Amino acid sequence: MALVELCGLVSRPTTFVEEAKRSGEFDCDAYCGNFVDNNKLLLPPLPLVSRGLNAFTEDESGRKVKLDYDHGTTTLGFRYRGGVVLTVDSRATGGQFIGSQSVRKILRISDHILGTMAGGASDCVYWLRVLAKECGLYELRNRQPMSVAAASKLLANMVYNYKGMGLSMGCMIAGYDKKGPGLYYVDSDGRRTVGNLFSVGSGSSYAYGILDGGYNWNLTDDEAYDLGRRAIYHATHRDAYSGGTVRVYHINAEGVKIISEEDCKDLHDKYQEEKMQ
């Protein structure tokens, strides 16, 4: 620093926050609060946000305008005696437009916990990353990993603060802890449900048709992988908003393991050949 001052150079701001504060163009604390506190997001300047947003859903003649968000995906997860299996597709859509065929919809929360994303991609990615940060801090402070139940409860509490404000999330929190395999469903309204089997997304009804017929607690590992893979494949075959790569993950006491990543077209050819035999 002394050499910089001696040469007459002005040190440049190292972060966007410092630059914004130095320029004085806007109130950085008000508009960039989540840079410091991830749970503090910028909200519209309304006394009751969840009610005030209704004023923006009317046209010039006063008629109500329905905000219909287009989502499309298929994710599933189930518990069995060998742990938890998560299977997802990889297609991202905006209405009838396919934005990507390579989205990773299973996100790492900790060494023994994973989260799936369905709904708004930005909402899911942001809050799952915040959850991953909180789980990491908890493990550093307490010298033990956060349980699956606690992680799902923390996510539900965080998003509940923004209920009715436009978030779109349908996440599964799955993992393995002292109590064994755990699976929870958490949505953007703060609802949290524990269960043995969930499927989320536009193709979930097709996936449930396969899961309900083949699921039981005593599945072997290979049977569980095949069940999840077939369920997602059938969803991608019938649901136009699901497709791409079918990814299968397994969580047990040893940690997280990636089982397979196969294109749904290759699976289609494989299953068609089985039918012909």
Side-chain angles (χ1 to χ4, degrees):
M1 295 298 295
L3 181 60
V4 170
E5 294 175 359
L6 181 64
C7 296
L9 300 176
V10 179
S11 60
R12 296 178 60 84
T14 57
T15 66
F16 171 77
V17 176
E18 292 180 6
E19 185 175 1
K21 287 184 176 180
R22 181 172 297 184
S23 64
E25 295 179 358
F26 62 94
D27 186 356
C28 186
D29 293 333
Y31 290 90
C32 305
N34 67 314
F35 284 14
V36 179
D37 182 1
N38 300 128
N39 297 325
K40 179 182 178 183
L41 299 182
L42 176 63
L43 299 176
L46 302 169
L48 293 174
V49 178
S50 58
R51 296 181 183 179
L53 289 176
N54 293 332
F56 299 96
T57 60
E58 296 181 357
D59 60 13
E60 60 277 1
S61 60
R63 293 177 299 180
K64 288 289 183 180
V65 176
K66 182 180 179 181
L67 297 180
D68 187 11
Y69 299 101
D70 292 321
H71 305 132
T73 187
T74 306
T75 64
L76 67 86
F78 58 86
R79 299 193 312 152
Y80 72 109
R81 66 176 184 177
V84 184
V85 167
L86 294 178
T87 314
V88 299
D89 73 321
S90 67
R91 177 174 291 180
T93 59
Q96 297 181 352
F97 173 74
I98 298 177
S100 175
Q101 286 278 75
S102 58
V103 177
R104 293 193 172 273
K105 299 180 182 180
I106 298 179
L107 304 179
R108 178 188 178 276
I109 306 300
S110 70
D111 291 339
H112 290 79
I113 301 177
L114 296 176
T116 66
M117 49 185 284
S122 58
D123 292 338
C124 293
V125 169
Y126 180 83
W127 287 110
L128 288 178
R129 284 180 176 175
V130 173
L131 178 62
K133 184 205 75 170
E134 295 295 339
C135 288
L137 291 174
Y138 178 91
E139 187 168 353
L140 289 173
R141 290 167 180 158
N142 298 277
R143 299 183 180 179
Q144 63 178 353
M146 183 180 290
S147 67
V148 184
S152 63
K153 186 64 175 178
L154 178 58
L155 178 62
N157 288 342
M158 289 190 297
V159 299
Y160 180 78
N161 294 324
Y162 298 91
K163 181 178 181 180
M165 300 181 190
L167 291 181
S168 175
M169 295 171 55
C171 299
M172 285 181 286
I173 304 298
Y176 201 100
D177 54 25
K178 296 178 181 179
K179 296 183 178 180
L183 180 64
Y184 294 82
Y185 168 75
V186 179
D187 66 13
S188 49
D189 288 334
R191 284 188 291 261
R192 171 177 171 268
T193 306
V194 61
N196 288 333
L197 186 153
F198 292 110
S199 183
V200 187
S202 58
S204 60
S205 58
Y206 305 109
Y208 272 126
I210 304 300
L211 291 172
D212 290 341
Y215 172 76
N216 69 78
W217 179 261
N218 294 317
L219 290 171
T220 65
D221 289 344
D222 290 337
E223 289 173 343
Y225 305 153
D226 184 65
L227 176 62
R229 193 181 295 114
R230 283 180 180 271
I232 293 295
Y233 157 71
H234 279 83
T236 62
H237 186 62
R238 295 296 182 184
D239 178 37
Y241 303 99
S242 302
T245 303
V246 178
R247 295 189 170 97
V248 181
Y249 284 60
H250 182 207
I251 314 171
N252 57 16
E254 299 176 358
V256 176
K257 183 179 180 181
I258 302 176
I259 303 303
S260 65
E261 296 183 349
E262 300 179 70
D263 192 282
C264 61
K265 292 172 60 179
D266 296 334
L267 290 176
H268 177 77
D269 295 338
K270 173 184 175 182
Y271 295 145
Q272 288 300 314
E273 289 179 2
E274 292 179 359
K275 286 182 179 180
M276 297 299 293
Q277 295 177 356

